[in-house]
Amino acid sequence: MKSYLNGKWKIKNSDSKTIYHYWFEKGQGNLTEMERTENENEYLIIDDHPFVDIIKYDEGFKLKFTSLYNNWTSELKYLNSNRMILATGNKEVEYIKDPE
């Protein structure tokens, strides 16, 4: 699961420049929210990164995000090497992997 989640993701069919970079270091999941610069090859970090924990439960997996100011959990509805669907509350968001 970590190998699929690892990488840069963007919201499907969105004009937003925001990229969500999931990465793992010493077993700990991290998420960095950033934007692609005008250069297109560089990124500007726009938010401190929360830690990400993968939680297995009877019906699948959840991602628990823990930041300095906020905590939330999203259900991982679907994940493969280039597509992810996260549900937070009543809202589902589909992401596609950024080819970098």
Side-chain angles (χ1 to χ4, degrees), residues 3-61:
S3 63
Y4 281 153
L5 189 57
N6 192 55
K8 295 179 175 97
W9 295 85
K10 60 185 179 179
I11 297 175
K12 184 177 180 180
N13 298 326
S14 173
D15 293 332
S16 174
K17 293 182 182 181
T18 302
I19 302 289
Y20 302 91
H21 182 204
Y22 289 87
W23 49 282
F24 294 85
E25 183 174 75
K26 298 180 183 175
Q28 176 62 59
N30 299 274
L31 172 62
T32 302
E33 189 176 337
M34 52 195 182
E35 284 188 1
R36 196 176 304 253
T37 64
E38 297 295 324
N39 182 338
E40 292 290 319
N41 293 325
E42 297 175 356
Y43 297 94
L44 174 67
I45 295 174
I46 58 174
D47 195 9
D48 287 338
H49 72 271
F51 293 112
V52 180
D53 293 307
I54 299 170
I55 301 168
K56 183 173 178 12
Y57 71 111
D58 290 341
E59 296 154 25
F61 293 92

Side-chain angles (χ1 to χ4, degrees), residues 51-87:
F51 293 112
V52 180
D53 293 307
I54 299 170
I55 301 168
K56 183 173 178 12
Y57 71 111
D58 290 341
E59 296 154 25
F61 293 92
K62 292 184 180 186
L63 299 181
K64 180 181 177 189
F65 300 91
T66 305
S67 72
L68 188 59
Y69 304 107
N70 199 2
N71 300 320
W72 69 97
T73 302
S74 296
E75 184 176 357
L76 188 58
K77 295 282 207 170
Y78 184 84
L79 177 64
N80 70 13
S81 60
N82 60 8
R83 183 172 168 245
M84 172 172 59
I85 299 174
L86 285 179

